[in-house]
Amino acid sequence: MSVFTHLVAELGRLLEPALAESATAAAIVLFTVLVRLALHPLSRAAFRGATPVAGCLPLLLQLPVFFLMYQAFTSGGELLGHRLFAAPLGSRWTEALGEGGPFGAQGLVFLALFGAIAVVAAWSAVRGRRSAAAAARTAAASAASAASAPKKKQPAGAAALPELTAEQQEAMRKLGGVLPLLSFGTLITAAVVPLAAGLYLLTTTAWSVAERAWLEYRRARAAEQPADGAVRSTL
């Protein structure tokens, strides 16, 4: 038994008195939350742009967990027989279709999972487009300000900051509209992996979107505090 299987099994036993057959599914969600909590410092560093490597580490460190989840529910073992309501955690969408169709007992569990992933993906897409639009407006305002401001002599050895052309700004706007739609790719993945892996994808994706929203809120509040202090000092 792997360490991952042992941890999920123990968490499932702790939750079993309250959640019965769905205890292992809840244990997967709880385990995913614990993994994301451990990775939060790296995610925060990536958000602040500390290092290029920091932006990749949270995703890379989750890959082994996802593969362990996939293996635990495809290669047999004590977790394979557990369920989320009527659907076995090791079953796939195609198997659920053969057990009563999309609106059968198992099919409804998958539809609920797909619906939850779609809501998270839509939330991510809306936030991504807003962020891209804000970045494009900021770049356009900076370019306009630089064009109207008198040219300053650059110090010797200093590199001039590149100015975005209209074509580059338009490309950024279009890219910002397309990239958020990639979050819906999670739906395709969830349709071909076991239900347990789909639960992991839903939980970690929801965490990522909520975490970024919280970090953006914290950054906005931090930016407002110096301005509030400056206003109070003039009163």
Side-chain angles (χ1 to χ4, degrees):
M1 180 187 300
S2 67
V3 175
F4 165 79
T5 304
H6 178 73
L7 287 174
V8 173
E10 289 300 320
L11 287 173
R13 291 189 184 97
L14 290 174
L15 298 172
E16 190 171 2
L19 299 173
E21 283 190 345
S22 298
T24 301
I28 292 171
V29 174
L30 180 58
F31 179 81
T32 308
V33 170
L34 293 175
V35 171
R36 294 310 307 263
L37 276 173
L39 295 176
H40 178 67
L42 287 175
S43 300
R44 187 170 54 189
F47 179 78
R48 292 176 177 175
T51 61
V53 178
C56 301
L57 279 177
L59 176 62
L60 293 177
L61 292 176
Q62 287 184 77
L63 289 178
V65 180
F66 179 79
F67 288 136
L68 287 172
M69 181 84 65
Y70 184 89
Q71 185 178 16
F73 287 92
T74 55
S75 60
E78 66 171 292
L79 297 180
L80 199 58
H82 293 267
R83 294 173 171 266
L84 174 60
F85 301 114
L89 290 174
S91 65
R92 292 177 170 81
W93 169 239
T94 53
E95 297 171 358
L97 292 178
E99 297 290 337
F103 300 106
Q106 294 187 25
L108 289 175
V109 174
F110 278 91
L111 288 179
L113 174 68
F114 298 156
I117 291 176
V119 169
V120 173
W123 182 26
S124 176
V126 169
R127 291 193 60 84
R129 286 189 170 182
R130 287 177 180 174
S131 299
R137 287 194 299 268
T138 302
S142 299
S145 176
S148 60
K151 298 293 183 179
K152 295 183 179 180
K153 187 177 180 180
Q154 293 286 343
L161 294 176
E163 296 182 2
L164 294 178
T165 64
E167 291 78 8
Q168 290 173 328
Q169 293 177 27
E170 180 65 16
M172 286 180 59
R173 187 188 66 80
K174 291 181 178 179
L175 190 62
V178 173
L179 285 179
L181 298 178
L182 297 179
S183 56
F184 288 95
T186 310
L187 275 170
I188 300 174
T189 306
V192 298
V193 298
L195 176 60
L199 282 175
Y200 178 86
L201 288 174
L202 169 62
T203 308
T204 192
T205 305
W207 179 281
S208 296
V209 178
E211 182 181 57
R212 186 165 186 85
W214 171 248
L215 291 174
E216 288 177 352
Y217 171 77
R218 291 279 303 273
R219 182 171 63 183
R221 288 294 302 272
E224 290 173 0
Q225 288 177 358
D228 293 343
V231 171
R232 284 194 292 269
S233 64
T234 60
L235 297 178

